[in-house]
Amino acid sequence: MSDDGDLRTGTPEPDPSACGGDGDEKEERTDEDRMLDGIAEQRGLIEALPGNTSEVALRRAPHEKKLGQLEFKYQLLVEEKRLARVLLKFQELYGELYSEMCLICL
């Protein structure tokens, strides 16, 4: 990729020599990257099917279903990460939830 970094997240790409490795190690991919690649692959399969006949629509349907499932899983993963960040920020501001006994429980 270019020196601009990762376009999806806006973060710069890590320098392989900075972590002490010699650059020969294969970079481990995240679940998010694998899901995005799967979504792109499914979109490519759908776009590769020619025409709009009923036969093509029947062949396209399973691919569109899988694409929808992959997009749903990706959105769920993104929402889980967002929720975890928001909860962590809330805990930093207001402290742990349920850390003190409530007045009713005393």
Side-chain angles (χ1 to χ4, degrees):
M1 237 179 163
S2 69
D3 292 334
D4 296 335
D6 190 3
L7 297 177
R8 281 177 262 146
T9 60
T11 58
E13 289 181 333
D15 185 10
S17 61
C19 64
D22 54 345
D24 292 336
E25 297 175 13
K26 188 175 182 181
E27 188 174 314
E28 191 171 321
R29 297 176 50 187
T30 63
D31 290 339
E32 191 173 345
D33 288 337
R34 282 189 289 258
M35 285 182 168
L36 286 172
D37 289 343
I39 289 171
E41 181 181 336
Q42 281 302 118
R43 283 192 179 140
L45 288 173
I46 291 170
E47 292 172 0
L49 294 172
N52 286 330
T53 64
S54 61
E55 181 181 315
V56 173
L58 287 174
R59 286 190 288 159
R60 183 178 293 155
H63 297 296
E64 288 178 346
K65 180 181 177 184
K66 186 172 182 183
L67 175 62
Q69 291 171 342
L70 288 171
E71 287 176 339
F72 179 78
K73 286 180 183 178
Y74 174 72
Q75 290 299 324
L76 189 62
L77 177 71
V78 169
E79 185 63 18
E80 285 176 355
K81 287 182 178 182
R82 185 196 68 80
L83 191 59
R85 285 192 309 267
V86 169
L87 183 60
L88 183 64
K89 191 174 193 176
F90 180 85
Q91 287 176 344
E92 287 174 358
L93 291 174
Y94 302 107
E96 287 287 323
L97 292 176
Y98 309 113
S99 61
E100 298 177 9
M101 303 252 326
C102 69
L103 295 177
I104 299 173
C105 298
L106 291 175

